[in-house]
Amino acid sequence: MRTYHCFWLLFWAGQPHQSFLTPLPKRTSGFPEKEKVLVLSGNSRRDLHRSKRSWMWNQFFLLEEYTGTDYQYVGKLHSDQDKGDGSLKYILSGDGAGDLFIINENTGDIQATRRLDREEKPVYILRAQAVNRRTGRPVEPESEFIIKIHDINDNEPMFTKDVYNASIPEMSDVGTFVVQVTATDADDPTYGNSAKVVYSILQGQPYFSVESETGIIKTALLNMDRENREQYQVVIQAKDMGGQMGGLSGTTTVNITLTDVNDNPPRFPQSTYQFRAPESMPSDSPIGRIKANDADVDENAEIEYSITEGDGYDMFGITTDKDTQEGIITVKKALDFENKNLYILKVEATNTHVDPRFLYLGPFKDSATVRIQVEDVDEPPVFSRPAYIMEVKEDVPINSVIGTVTAQDPDAAKNPVKYSVDRHTDMDRVFNINSGNGSIFTSKPLDRETLLWHNITVIAAEINNPKQSSRVPVFIKVLDVNDNAPEFAMFYETFVCENAKAEQLIQTLSAVDKDDSYSGHQFSFSLPPETASSSNFTLQDNRDNTAGIFTRKTRYNRNEMSTYFLPVVISDNDYPIQSSTETVTIRVCACDHRGKMLSCNAEALVHPTGLSTGALIAILLCIIILLVTVVLFAALRRQRKKEPLIISKEDIRDNIVSYNDEGGGEEDTQAFDIGTLRNPEAIDDNKLRRDIVPETLFMPRRTATVRDNADVRDFINQRLKDNDTDPTAPPYDSLATYAYEGNGSVAESLSSLESVTTEGDQDYDYLSDWGPRFKKLADMYGAMDSDKDS
């Protein structure tokens, strides 16, 4: 019968002593030698039926941060099979076995070889076994036990940040939240107060405070002013053990910045500013700068400047430089020392962003006085007008005064001025000026029809200082004078027909005048008195600035007189009246009955017998185009002949091409019956064309039979008209022949060609009745009949 044995464990299982909570230097290096034996199984050899049970292990508590020189004793393993003869061997395995934890294989004593840190590893799990030293077989089953590291306060609190940065607005109320700091302790929070942290402020009072449990920092002083102090550095301490003595602590730094609010109004550093400005300063030029100081920053220090009052309110302006927040005073209008040499302005500076919470501190604006002294400058002469406009008649004599310009020195010295004309604006020297009094006069004749406006520039300069000069434009308009006679609007060359009738209009005339008429031109036309009575033509004034030329006689003969030259007197109604004599060329020409010109005698003289260069070029181009057309046509015909009937050998089709359109032949006489022209009375009304299929049945129209003595031209025109209006007429590609041989004689045909077609005998006895002249003929034909009968 097998005997079951028990494994004993001797360990120090007492409660933690008070010395465990003492600081590390006061820790003891020894342990109580009192051992507790734990019987894991009974040793009754008589109970043969008890069942074997596994080892039951309590936790070993090992103090962390051991500072002794010897190994730290943990506990002891012992088996009831151990007889003390050294036959058993104890084996340890698991976390740190053989390295961190060693066991005496003979005695079963367990020791820690080095100092342990709970924060690094708080629990170790090990397995113990007793084996036979000789056979190596286990005498007890392997079992597991735990070594738990007992915590001591060896870690100080650590803040999450080394340095905190925070900001709050200046002038904040007491208790305003600033920032929250947080510290953590690596010690065991479940055992004692090693990890209980308490916050306190070491530096930063009385401006700020911190809540001991939460680490929230708040303001502790009212109305902290950024302008007095902007940066604060606060030191916060975190201490464990609930803040008791002996606890460990850590610190952090909190940098707190006060942000700006608009709690300071702008202020001018001085009440009066003085500037000087020369009177020649152009508009929008800066005179000087002023600045109001504002202790605030950024948008709270933005200032708007304005001129509120003063005697130069409309002469000056002020703008704000956004970069420097300065007020720039500028000139708005031209200054005049002689008129006013001192201006006093009141300038106001105002904050653009005002915080209503601080209105009680006073108005957020300030004002100052600005004195501007105008300095005298030697100025050029000034004309009385910015520009001059003058008028002069074109017929004025040379050296006639047309106007005067005036300029004077604006300075107090009133230096004399001399005048001159800028010759770049009067290259022809048409005008001149009196250098002393500024009167402008003509030096050359004027002509409105050549140039209507003269634009010149007059220069006025100080005699003592010619560099001081000014210019003024002078616009001179030349007024019209009736000095031009009217003339034809164009060159008139007309013709008259030889067969012209009397009082026939052959030409309408019009006139123009270079002069300008305010009420409109009114021209009168007439023939000279010396030619009015003997002229072959008459002239009629239409009273609308036009006139008509009429024939005086019925016929003209170009052989007697081929060309007439008709003088015409044209006058205007302006003062003085101007008139001119113009000539109209009239040629006598041959005309048709409609009055269209056919030829004139002068044509042979005017037109050259040869062709002009343009005509020759045109003819040559036509010949070239014709040749190109013929060549292209021949090439297309040749290419068309070379095209195979079947393009590809594979493309074989059973196509039948029929070319059997031979027309109607001799029997097809319906396209056009030539007999109609032969005999107009042989028209068959019932016959229709058989060469086309009519879409609509048109009844043929019967035309009137032409009289026997009708003229051949009238007959053909009548037939042409009938065929043009006939819908059953031949197609366009048919040839219609209009041949008319007449109706024949009353005796009809005397030819015997048709006698062979008659079946019966012909009786020629009637020829004897016609008289002796036909008797011989009757005997001749009658004899032929007798021969035929025989």
Side-chain angles (χ1 to χ4, degrees), residues 555-778:
R555 296 185 65 86
Y556 294 85
N557 191 343
R558 56 176 172 169
N559 294 325
E560 297 177 358
M561 179 67 72
S562 62
T563 304
Y564 292 92
F565 298 99
L566 182 64
V568 177
V569 178
I570 311 173
S571 302
D572 56 20
N573 291 328
D574 292 336
Y575 180 81
I577 295 177
Q578 300 288 341
S579 63
S580 64
T581 301
E582 301 287 333
T583 302
V584 180
T585 302
I586 304 173
R587 292 187 299 163
V588 181
C589 302
C591 304
D592 57 12
H593 65 281
R594 297 179 181 177
K596 184 177 181 182
M597 181 181 66
L598 298 179
S599 64
C600 299
N601 287 341
E603 186 176 0
L605 298 175
V606 175
H607 298 343
T609 57
L611 296 176
S612 63
T613 304
L616 291 175
I617 294 175
I619 294 173
L620 183 59
L621 289 177
C622 292
I623 294 173
I624 294 174
I625 293 173
L626 182 60
L627 290 176
V628 172
T629 304
V630 172
V631 172
L632 291 177
F633 181 77
L636 291 176
R637 290 289 300 273
R638 183 178 300 174
Q639 184 178 3
R640 187 176 299 172
K641 289 179 180 180
K642 291 182 180 180
E643 289 180 355
L645 189 60
I646 300 177
I647 299 175
S648 176
K649 293 181 179 180
E650 289 79 15
D651 189 14
I652 299 175
R653 305 175 186 174
D654 297 334
N655 295 334
I656 298 176
V657 182
S658 299
Y659 300 95
N660 57 359
D661 188 9
E662 299 178 356
E666 296 178 355
E667 296 179 359
D668 187 8
T669 60
Q670 298 301 321
F672 185 76
D673 190 3
I674 196 66
T676 304
L677 294 178
R678 306 299 181 185
N679 190 1
E681 296 179 353
I683 298 177
D684 190 355
D685 295 340
N686 297 325
K687 288 185 179 181
L688 299 175
R689 295 181 57 182
R690 296 180 303 189
D691 58 332
I692 60 172
V693 179
E695 295 180 358
T696 306
L697 186 60
F698 293 92
M699 297 303 293
R701 296 185 293 105
R702 180 179 294 274
T703 59
T705 302
V706 183
R707 298 190 305 271
D708 294 343
N709 58 352
D711 186 71
V712 175
R713 178 187 297 176
D714 295 338
F715 169 78
I716 292 178
N717 289 336
Q718 181 65 30
R719 286 294 179 266
L720 180 59
K721 179 179 180 182
D722 295 340
N723 280 275
D724 289 340
T725 58
D726 186 6
T728 62
Y732 295 115
D733 55 351
S734 297
L735 179 61
T737 303
Y738 301 98
Y740 178 62
E741 298 178 357
N743 293 330
S745 65
V746 180
E748 298 181 352
S749 178
L750 299 179
S751 175
S752 61
L753 296 177
E754 295 180 355
S755 60
V756 295
T757 62
T758 61
E759 297 178 356
D761 296 333
Q762 181 71 27
D763 186 10
Y764 296 100
D765 292 338
Y766 64 89
L767 294 176
S768 299
D769 299 334
W770 288 3
R773 290 178 299 178
F774 294 92
K775 182 173 180 56
K776 183 64 175 176
L777 186 60

Side-chain angles (χ1 to χ4, degrees), residues 143-161:
S143 188
E144 186 177 81
F145 66 95
I146 297 174
I147 298 178
K148 186 175 183 181
I149 307 302
H150 190 71
D151 182 51
I152 64 174
N153 188 18
D154 59 342
N155 291 280
E156 69 274 6
M158 300 292 295
F159 284 94
T160 57
K161 294 181 181 180

